[in-house]
Amino acid sequence: MLNWDDPIAAVKGRAPDTTDAPRTPAPEGRPQPAAPEAAREPAQPAPTADTAAPAPAEQTAGAPATRETDTLQPGAIPTPADLKPVNPDDKRVINGLTDINQLAPFKYPWAWEYFLNANKNHWTPLDINMNQDVHDYHHKLTVEERHVYENVLSYLTTSDILAMRNIGLAVMEKMSAPELQIYQARQVYEESLHTWTYQHCIESIGLDQGEIYNRYRVVPEINHKIQIANRRLDSVLRPDIDLRDPDELANFVMAYLFFAAVFEGTWFYNGFSPIFALQRRGLMKGTAEQLQYIMRDEVLHASFGLRVVKQIIKEENITLDPKAVREMWDEAEAAEAAYARFLLPDPILGYSAEQHIEQFRFIANRRARKLDLEEPFPGAENALPWLDEQANLRKEKNFFETRVTEYQTGGALSWD
């Protein structure tokens, strides 16, 4: 069984080869190509104290850095002899100087495993039959249950676009190891697929798209969560950001931590559970199955993000500000509690606002432990013990009612 909080934990014994590969010699009798004329500079006499060249000026912030593995002088035309093989030990998550276009040797083989694993959870919303959901919504759901269903979709549609923009525009271009960027490119695709899924549910049910999509602007409890995420995103979505600056770096790490631990790691998790509560009672099963596939992606996103944050903390020798982390969790909890009480002013059968809030705290503790941080909500209990099983995709399917979308990976979810 895969552990979806750390699905790559089983990958061991794949340490990358960090030795420089020897350059292949030219075949016997074939001369090596001559260096370009520009590279054949006459030898210069060693500088004396009177003629020593001045020290180079400090590199301008944002200017391209010279790569540690290159031997080129500024302005020279590169030749194969000028470039050393990439040493994976020189790679870094951010502020790295190795060739971003060369995938291997890996320094972060776990990132490549995330990419391979993600590709085994592939589907489209058209694979899942929504006919019963149409009937359930119009003929079986109560007014309170329709309120829950509509507002869950309203929140999720906006949230996945935010998650896509965060990874695609604010995070991915700051990574300096290609194996990280490749998984994040897959993540951008998945967020787009999730948005399509919500749109497909809205269209299938026949909801008013303009009204559903606009709720995040007019419902304060939804808008507040979106504005918290927008504030974090805007703080790092700037062309002048310089991650060599300690303050900028600390802010970037906190923004990445927020999206991994809170936005995707807890808010999304709680965003799905009201629909799973309906599914337990045999209602809206098509929508719930769509969300089961999305949940697999989101748990990987959260797990990957937390692992990247942990790696940055190690490489850049950062200590997270305990006050900033505490404020992040408190703000997230207050926003989630307000949202839960708007979503569930009165309980629906099998689900209440109090359960929703307690489950947020329980999952928040789980995310904090992944970073070896203090649990933000000690003593929080698993308010939805059925949720892990409910999210399990390994269920009997009627061949004539649904397409076979089961893949070899992740037949069962294990949240620890």
Side-chain angles (χ1 to χ4, degrees):
M1 180 188 296
L2 285 183
N3 181 330
W4 288 89
D5 262 353
D6 192 3
I8 316 302
V11 179
K12 297 183 183 298
R14 297 191 186 178
D17 182 6
T18 57
T19 58
D20 288 348
R23 205 168 282 116
T24 304
E28 186 176 349
R30 182 179 299 173
Q32 292 279 9
E37 291 296 326
R40 296 189 208 151
E41 298 288 345
Q44 298 295 326
T48 64
D50 296 329
T51 63
E58 269 192 28
Q59 183 177 324
T60 305
T66 303
R67 303 188 189 282
E68 293 175 355
T69 53
D70 296 355
T71 57
L72 281 179
Q73 296 300 316
I77 300 173
T79 69
D82 292 320
L83 302 175
K84 295 179 180 178
V86 169
N87 184 342
D89 289 338
D90 294 334
K91 287 186 177 182
R92 299 175 73 87
V93 173
I94 57 173
N95 296 328
L97 299 175
T98 54
D99 189 344
I100 191 64
N101 296 309
Q102 183 170 329
L103 176 62
F106 295 118
K107 180 173 182 178
Y108 312 108
W110 50 266
W112 185 247
E113 294 293 336
Y114 269 88
F115 173 70
L116 298 179
N117 204 27
N119 278 278
K120 295 173 184 176
N121 183 46
H122 186 74
W123 90 107
T124 79
L126 303 181
D127 293 334
I128 297 167
N129 193 317
M130 293 289 292
N131 289 337
Q132 187 61 44
D133 290 51
V134 177
H135 182 267
D136 289 348
Y137 178 85
H138 292 286
H139 300 289
K140 291 187 175 182
L141 295 190
T142 65
V143 171
E144 294 78 13
E145 289 164 349
R146 285 199 292 270
H147 171 81
V148 169
Y149 182 85
E150 292 171 9
N151 284 288
V152 165
L153 285 182
S154 178
Y155 169 66
L156 291 175
T157 53
T158 304
S159 295
D160 260 300
I161 291 174
L162 253 172
M164 176 190 70
R165 294 179 61 238
N166 174 64
I167 290 296
L169 301 178
V171 172
M172 187 174 156
E173 59 97 15
K174 296 177 178 66
M175 300 293 104
S176 53
E179 56 264 42
L180 303 174
Q181 288 187 327
I182 286 174
Y183 174 74
Q184 289 165 339
R186 169 75 191 193
Q187 184 176 343
V188 169
Y189 162 77
E190 288 171 350
E191 304 295 10
S192 304
L193 178 64
H194 302 168
T195 301
W196 175 20
T197 302
Y198 308 136
Q199 169 65 9
H200 180 65
C201 292
I202 291 168
E203 286 182 329
S204 298
I205 301 299
L207 302 178
D208 182 335
Q209 295 183 42
E211 195 272 333
I212 292 294
Y213 277 100
N214 197 52
R215 285 192 189 183
Y216 92 90
R217 296 173 178 270
V218 299
V219 175
E221 294 82 359
I222 297 177
N223 181 264
H224 184 48
K225 293 177 72 175
I226 298 301
Q227 292 309 319
I228 292 172
N230 267 328
R231 187 185 75 234
R232 296 282 187 179
L233 175 57
D234 291 345
S235 74
V236 293
L237 192 59
R238 305 187 343 259
D240 62 338
I241 193 168
D242 181 0
L243 296 185
R244 293 166 295 182
D245 179 278
D247 293 334
E248 294 275 32
L249 178 59
N251 179 65
F252 174 76
V253 170
M254 283 301 302
Y256 202 165
L257 173 61
F258 166 81
F259 273 95
V262 174
F263 196 75
E264 296 193 88
T266 53
W267 282 357
F268 273 13
Y269 182 94
N270 266 13
F272 304 138
S273 52
I275 305 300
F276 293 146
L278 295 175
Q279 183 194 30
R280 289 187 78 209
R281 295 164 43 213
L283 299 171
M284 310 308 287
K285 292 190 291 184
T287 303
E289 188 175 348
Q290 305 269 17
L291 298 189
Q292 287 170 323
Y293 283 102
I294 291 175
M295 178 178 270
R296 285 181 170 189
D297 292 338
E298 296 300 349
V299 174
L300 282 176
H301 297 174
S303 177
F304 182 86
L306 292 175
R307 189 152 187 179
V308 172
V309 167
K310 197 170 184 177
Q311 189 70 31
I312 294 174
I313 290 171
K314 177 182 177 182
E315 291 181 357
E316 304 296 328
N317 195 26
I318 296 172
T319 300
L320 293 176
D321 180 358
K323 181 181 178 183
V325 174
R326 180 73 255 176
E327 289 174 350
M328 178 190 76
W329 286 120
D330 289 344
E331 183 179 44
E333 181 198 29
E336 188 72 355
Y339 171 74
R341 294 187 177 105
F342 160 74
L343 200 65
L344 295 148
D346 296 304
I348 62 173
L349 185 60
Y351 201 80
S352 69
E354 288 69 29
Q355 288 174 307
H356 188 98
I357 297 165
E358 186 68 7
Q359 190 69 14
F360 165 86
R361 297 180 183 127
F362 178 78
I363 298 302
N365 287 344
R366 186 182 278 169
R367 304 306 177 219
R369 290 196 300 268
K370 294 292 291 183
L371 282 173
D372 302 321
L373 297 177
E374 179 182 330
E375 290 187 354
F377 308 107
E381 297 182 357
N382 185 0
L384 305 174
W386 48 262
L387 185 56
D388 289 0
E389 180 183 351
Q390 196 66 23
N392 183 356
L393 273 164
R394 186 173 290 165
K395 293 183 171 69
E396 292 184 3
K397 298 174 186 285
N398 185 326
F399 180 80
F400 298 101
E401 292 180 356
T402 181
R403 288 179 57 181
V404 178
T405 53
E406 186 67 60
Y407 284 77
Q408 68 180 32
T409 296
L413 297 175
S414 171
W415 295 95
D416 284 325

